[in-house]
Amino acid sequence: MTAQQKTVGRAEGTTDPLEVWIDQDLCTGDGICVQYAPEVFELDIDGLAYVKPPAPPGEEVDLLTEPGATAPVPLPLLNDVVASARECPGECIHVRRMTDGTEVYGPGADAA
Ligand code: SF4
């Protein structure tokens, strides 16, 4: 098991690491995701939410602003990221397995 596999969130009942992305075309900019998981989500100057990669302690990281950009879901933040996907009014937060791209939480998941 790699270091990333030990620290990245998994879907319930699986051992697969997860990643998250936002469809900014549907984002309302209300900031609910940022309230849940500010380590993963941030509002940019355009008023829309973006994901960001894990930051080393004490360091800032740039938002991932390319369409469809993904960030790994840190295991300690999995519940917060899942809650963000479930509460997102734009239904535009997608959590998927890194291994095969299957959406496990969000509007494209079978049981979001
Ligand atoms: S919760 Fe959804 S709609 Fe609201 S800012 Fe985050 S991504 Fe956008």
Side-chain angles (χ1 to χ4, degrees), residues 51-82:
V51 296
K52 53 186 178 182
E59 292 186 25
E60 298 273 327
V61 292
D62 291 334
L63 301 183
L64 302 175
T65 55
E66 316 84 54
T70 63
V73 178
L75 183 56
L77 300 176
L78 176 58
N79 288 343
D80 292 332
V81 171
V82 171

Short mmCIF file of all heavy atoms in Angstrom, two decimals, residues 51-82:
data_model
loop_
_atom_site.label_atom_id
_atom_site.label_comp_id
_atom_site.label_asym_id
_atom_site.label_seq_id
_atom_site.Cartn_x
_atom_site.Cartn_y
_atom_site.Cartn_z
N VAL A 51 -11.63 22.97 -6.64
CA VAL A 51 -10.88 22.07 -5.75
C VAL A 51 -9.43 22.53 -5.72
O VAL A 51 -8.97 23.28 -6.58
CB VAL A 51 -10.97 20.60 -6.23
CG1 VAL A 51 -12.40 20.11 -6.16
CG2 VAL A 51 -10.40 20.42 -7.64
N LYS A 52 -8.75 22.07 -4.69
CA LYS A 52 -7.32 22.37 -4.61
C LYS A 52 -6.60 21.14 -4.07
O LYS A 52 -7.17 20.34 -3.30
CB LYS A 52 -7.06 23.59 -3.73
CG LYS A 52 -7.67 23.55 -2.35
CD LYS A 52 -7.46 24.89 -1.65
CE LYS A 52 -8.09 24.92 -0.27
NZ LYS A 52 -7.91 26.22 0.38
N PRO A 53 -5.35 20.98 -4.46
CA PRO A 53 -4.60 19.80 -4.01
C PRO A 53 -4.21 19.95 -2.55
O PRO A 53 -4.26 21.06 -1.99
CB PRO A 53 -3.37 19.81 -4.92
CG PRO A 53 -3.19 21.24 -5.29
CD PRO A 53 -4.58 21.83 -5.35
N PRO A 54 -3.84 18.85 -1.91
CA PRO A 54 -3.41 18.94 -0.51
C PRO A 54 -2.22 19.89 -0.37
O PRO A 54 -1.31 19.89 -1.18
CB PRO A 54 -3.00 17.50 -0.18
CG PRO A 54 -3.68 16.65 -1.20
CD PRO A 54 -3.80 17.49 -2.43
N ALA A 55 -2.26 20.72 0.68
CA ALA A 55 -1.20 21.69 0.90
C ALA A 55 -0.24 21.17 1.97
O ALA A 55 -0.68 20.68 3.01
CB ALA A 55 -1.79 23.02 1.34
N PRO A 56 1.06 21.30 1.74
CA PRO A 56 2.01 20.99 2.82
C PRO A 56 1.73 21.91 4.00
O PRO A 56 1.24 23.03 3.81
CB PRO A 56 3.37 21.29 2.18
CG PRO A 56 3.13 21.25 0.70
CD PRO A 56 1.72 21.70 0.50
N PRO A 57 2.01 21.47 5.22
CA PRO A 57 1.73 22.29 6.40
C PRO A 57 2.30 23.70 6.26
O PRO A 57 3.47 23.87 5.92
CB PRO A 57 2.42 21.51 7.53
CG PRO A 57 2.45 20.10 7.04
CD PRO A 57 2.62 20.18 5.56
N GLY A 58 1.45 24.69 6.50
CA GLY A 58 1.89 26.07 6.48
C GLY A 58 2.05 26.67 5.11
O GLY A 58 2.48 27.82 4.97
N GLU A 59 1.70 25.93 4.05
CA GLU A 59 1.87 26.45 2.70
C GLU A 59 0.52 26.62 2.01
O GLU A 59 -0.43 25.92 2.32
CB GLU A 59 2.74 25.52 1.86
CG GLU A 59 4.18 25.47 2.33
CD GLU A 59 5.05 24.65 1.38
OE1 GLU A 59 4.69 24.53 0.19
OE2 GLU A 59 6.07 24.14 1.84
N GLU A 60 0.46 27.59 1.09
CA GLU A 60 -0.72 27.81 0.27
C GLU A 60 -0.55 27.05 -1.04
O GLU A 60 0.57 26.87 -1.51
CB GLU A 60 -0.88 29.30 -0.03
CG GLU A 60 -1.08 30.17 1.21
CD GLU A 60 -2.54 30.27 1.59
OE1 GLU A 60 -3.38 30.26 0.69
OE2 GLU A 60 -2.81 30.35 2.80
N VAL A 61 -1.66 26.61 -1.62
CA VAL A 61 -1.60 25.98 -2.94
C VAL A 61 -2.58 26.69 -3.86
O VAL A 61 -3.56 27.29 -3.42
CB VAL A 61 -1.95 24.48 -2.87
CG1 VAL A 61 -0.88 23.71 -2.14
CG2 VAL A 61 -3.31 24.26 -2.23
N ASP A 62 -2.30 26.64 -5.16
CA ASP A 62 -3.18 27.25 -6.14
C ASP A 62 -4.41 26.39 -6.35
O ASP A 62 -4.34 25.16 -6.30
CB ASP A 62 -2.45 27.43 -7.47
CG ASP A 62 -1.36 28.49 -7.38
OD1 ASP A 62 -1.48 29.38 -6.52
OD2 ASP A 62 -0.40 28.40 -8.17
N LEU A 63 -5.54 27.04 -6.62
CA LEU A 63 -6.75 26.32 -6.99
C LEU A 63 -6.55 25.66 -8.34
O LEU A 63 -5.80 26.16 -9.19
CB LEU A 63 -7.94 27.28 -7.07
CG LEU A 63 -8.28 28.04 -5.80
CD1 LEU A 63 -9.53 28.88 -6.04
CD2 LEU A 63 -8.47 27.12 -4.64
N LEU A 64 -7.24 24.55 -8.54
CA LEU A 64 -7.19 23.86 -9.82
C LEU A 64 -8.36 24.36 -10.66
O LEU A 64 -9.50 23.95 -10.46
CB LEU A 64 -7.27 22.34 -9.60
CG LEU A 64 -6.17 21.78 -8.69
CD1 LEU A 64 -6.39 20.29 -8.43
CD2 LEU A 64 -4.79 22.02 -9.29
N THR A 65 -8.08 25.28 -11.56
CA THR A 65 -9.16 25.97 -12.27
C THR A 65 -9.45 25.40 -13.66
O THR A 65 -10.36 25.89 -14.33
CB THR A 65 -8.83 27.47 -12.40
OG1 THR A 65 -7.55 27.60 -13.03
CG2 THR A 65 -8.79 28.13 -11.03
N GLU A 66 -8.71 24.40 -14.08
CA GLU A 66 -9.01 23.81 -15.38
C GLU A 66 -10.34 23.05 -15.27
O GLU A 66 -10.61 22.41 -14.26
CB GLU A 66 -7.92 22.83 -15.82
CG GLU A 66 -6.50 23.29 -15.60
CD GLU A 66 -6.02 23.00 -14.18
OE1 GLU A 66 -6.10 21.85 -13.73
OE2 GLU A 66 -5.58 23.95 -13.53
N PRO A 67 -11.17 23.11 -16.31
CA PRO A 67 -12.43 22.36 -16.26
C PRO A 67 -12.20 20.87 -16.01
O PRO A 67 -11.35 20.26 -16.65
CB PRO A 67 -13.04 22.59 -17.66
CG PRO A 67 -12.41 23.86 -18.14
CD PRO A 67 -11.02 23.88 -17.56
N GLY A 68 -12.92 20.34 -15.03
CA GLY A 68 -12.80 18.91 -14.73
C GLY A 68 -11.60 18.55 -13.90
O GLY A 68 -11.34 17.36 -13.69
N ALA A 69 -10.86 19.54 -13.40
CA ALA A 69 -9.68 19.24 -12.58
C ALA A 69 -10.10 18.50 -11.32
O ALA A 69 -11.13 18.81 -10.71
CB ALA A 69 -8.96 20.53 -12.21
N THR A 70 -9.30 17.53 -10.93
CA THR A 70 -9.62 16.73 -9.76
C THR A 70 -8.56 16.91 -8.68
O THR A 70 -7.40 17.23 -8.96
CB THR A 70 -9.69 15.23 -10.10
OG1 THR A 70 -8.41 14.79 -10.54
CG2 THR A 70 -10.74 14.97 -11.15
N ALA A 71 -9.00 16.70 -7.43
CA ALA A 71 -8.09 16.70 -6.29
C ALA A 71 -8.35 15.43 -5.50
O ALA A 71 -9.51 14.98 -5.40
CB ALA A 71 -8.33 17.92 -5.41
N PRO A 72 -7.31 14.83 -4.92
CA PRO A 72 -7.54 13.65 -4.09
C PRO A 72 -8.35 14.01 -2.85
O PRO A 72 -8.26 15.14 -2.35
CB PRO A 72 -6.13 13.19 -3.73
CG PRO A 72 -5.26 14.39 -3.93
CD PRO A 72 -5.90 15.21 -5.00
N VAL A 73 -9.15 13.08 -2.38
CA VAL A 73 -9.94 13.29 -1.17
C VAL A 73 -9.15 12.75 0.02
O VAL A 73 -8.99 11.53 0.14
CB VAL A 73 -11.30 12.57 -1.25
CG1 VAL A 73 -12.09 12.78 0.04
CG2 VAL A 73 -12.09 13.07 -2.45
N PRO A 74 -8.63 13.62 0.88
CA PRO A 74 -7.89 13.13 2.05
C PRO A 74 -8.81 12.33 2.97
O PRO A 74 -9.95 12.73 3.24
CB PRO A 74 -7.41 14.41 2.74
CG PRO A 74 -7.49 15.47 1.68
CD PRO A 74 -8.66 15.07 0.82
N LEU A 75 -8.32 11.20 3.44
CA LEU A 75 -9.15 10.32 4.27
C LEU A 75 -9.80 11.03 5.46
O LEU A 75 -10.99 10.85 5.70
CB LEU A 75 -8.32 9.13 4.74
CG LEU A 75 -9.06 8.07 5.55
CD1 LEU A 75 -10.26 7.53 4.79
CD2 LEU A 75 -8.10 6.93 5.92
N PRO A 76 -9.08 11.88 6.20
CA PRO A 76 -9.73 12.55 7.34
C PRO A 76 -10.87 13.49 6.93
O PRO A 76 -11.68 13.87 7.77
CB PRO A 76 -8.58 13.35 7.99
CG PRO A 76 -7.33 12.71 7.48
CD PRO A 76 -7.65 12.20 6.12
N LEU A 77 -10.91 13.87 5.65
CA LEU A 77 -11.93 14.81 5.17
C LEU A 77 -13.01 14.12 4.36
O LEU A 77 -13.88 14.80 3.80
CB LEU A 77 -11.27 15.90 4.32
CG LEU A 77 -10.21 16.74 5.04
CD1 LEU A 77 -9.56 17.71 4.06
CD2 LEU A 77 -10.83 17.49 6.21
N LEU A 78 -12.99 12.80 4.30
CA LEU A 78 -13.94 12.09 3.44
C LEU A 78 -15.39 12.43 3.81
O LEU A 78 -16.20 12.75 2.94
CB LEU A 78 -13.72 10.58 3.53
CG LEU A 78 -14.71 9.72 2.75
CD1 LEU A 78 -14.71 10.08 1.28
CD2 LEU A 78 -14.43 8.24 2.96
N ASN A 79 -15.72 12.38 5.08
CA ASN A 79 -17.11 12.66 5.48
C ASN A 79 -17.52 14.08 5.10
O ASN A 79 -18.66 14.32 4.68
CB ASN A 79 -17.29 12.44 6.98
CG ASN A 79 -17.27 10.97 7.34
OD1 ASN A 79 -17.43 10.11 6.48
ND2 ASN A 79 -17.05 10.68 8.61
N ASP A 80 -16.61 15.03 5.26
CA ASP A 80 -16.93 16.42 4.93
C ASP A 80 -17.11 16.60 3.41
O ASP A 80 -17.98 17.35 2.97
CB ASP A 80 -15.83 17.35 5.43
CG ASP A 80 -15.78 17.42 6.94
OD1 ASP A 80 -16.83 17.23 7.58
OD2 ASP A 80 -14.69 17.67 7.49
N VAL A 81 -16.28 15.92 2.64
CA VAL A 81 -16.41 16.03 1.19
C VAL A 81 -17.70 15.35 0.71
O VAL A 81 -18.41 15.88 -0.14
CB VAL A 81 -15.17 15.41 0.50
CG1 VAL A 81 -15.38 15.30 -1.01
CG2 VAL A 81 -13.93 16.24 0.81
N VAL A 82 -18.02 14.21 1.30
CA VAL A 82 -19.27 13.53 0.94
C VAL A 82 -20.47 14.39 1.33
O VAL A 82 -21.43 14.53 0.57
CB VAL A 82 -19.35 12.15 1.61
CG1 VAL A 82 -20.73 11.53 1.44
CG2 VAL A 82 -18.28 11.23 1.03
#
